[in-house]
Amino acid sequence: MPPIRASVETGHVEDAERVIVVDAANVVGSRPDGWWRDRAGAARRLLTELDGLRARLPASTRIIVVLEGAAKAAADHRGGGSQDTAEHESAGDGTPDESATLHVVRADGSGDDKIVDVVAAEVAVSDETRTVMVVTADRGLRSRVESLGATTVGPTWLRNHLS
């Protein structure tokens, strides 16, 4: 059982730092709800759901969402296109803003490559009290991030906690 699950289900607050890196394309694509007609809209809905989850997690848990392609527009506007997401994004250099509650990283190229870069950076500053977990069903990506020391869970795990 991934460590964050116990915190979400029981409300137990632990001191260990957790980083959850979300492969947004993979999570959005895991549910056939018409996301392909509006990729940015589907990503905005995911970010809104993740905001709700983030509010229920211990302060020691950070969520980093990687957006790619047309879904990157979700970081520009949310909530029907009227809300700026500056609280979610860095100055655009692809690194998370540490003061934000939900970090959004826009991949200039491959989303998978950006996720690997994010995980490598997070693992590099990790110690035995910090865990890095990636949410994806992509087997190739799972292998790449696990080789760096991250754990992985599938989109269903995340979807179950978003409700």
Side-chain angles (χ1 to χ4, degrees):
M1 174 181 344
I4 196 69
R5 174 176 258 169
S7 295
V8 171
E9 290 174 350
T10 66
H12 180 67
V13 178
E14 298 177 12
D15 291 333
E17 184 178 357
R18 293 178 180 87
V19 179
I20 302 172
V21 180
V22 179
D23 179 352
N26 195 268
V27 172
V28 166
S30 70
R31 187 168 56 185
D33 61 0
W35 60 265
W36 51 90
R37 291 188 295 267
D38 181 9
R39 293 172 193 264
R44 274 191 296 277
R45 288 188 297 277
L46 176 62
L47 291 175
T48 299
E49 291 174 312
L50 287 168
D51 275 334
L53 174 62
R54 177 62 212 108
R56 297 189 319 265
L57 295 174
S60 60
T61 300
R62 292 189 305 123
I63 300 176
I64 303 172
V65 184
V66 177
L67 298 176
E68 62 183 294
K72 291 189 295 187
D76 295 330
H77 297 285
R78 294 187 43 214
S82 62
Q83 183 180 0
D84 189 346
T85 58
E87 74 272 17
H88 297 279
E89 175 73 37
S90 68
D93 63 359
T95 58
D97 172 3
E98 295 303 318
S99 66
T101 58
L102 181 66
H103 312 289
V104 175
V105 177
R106 299 174 198 181
D108 290 330
S110 160
D112 288 2
D113 290 346
K114 180 53 82 175
I115 290 167
V116 170
D117 291 346
V118 167
V119 168
E122 292 295 331
V123 168
V125 296
S126 291
D127 59 26
E128 62 276 351
T129 65
R130 184 181 201 193
T131 60
V132 178
M133 181 172 65
V134 178
V135 181
T136 187
D138 182 315
R139 288 183 187 155
L141 180 57
R142 281 179 168 228
S143 177
R144 291 172 70 188
V145 299
E146 287 171 352
S147 72
L148 296 171
T151 60
T152 58
V153 293
T156 301
W157 177 89
L158 181 60
R159 290 279 182 204
N160 289 340
H161 289 89
L162 292 176
S163 304

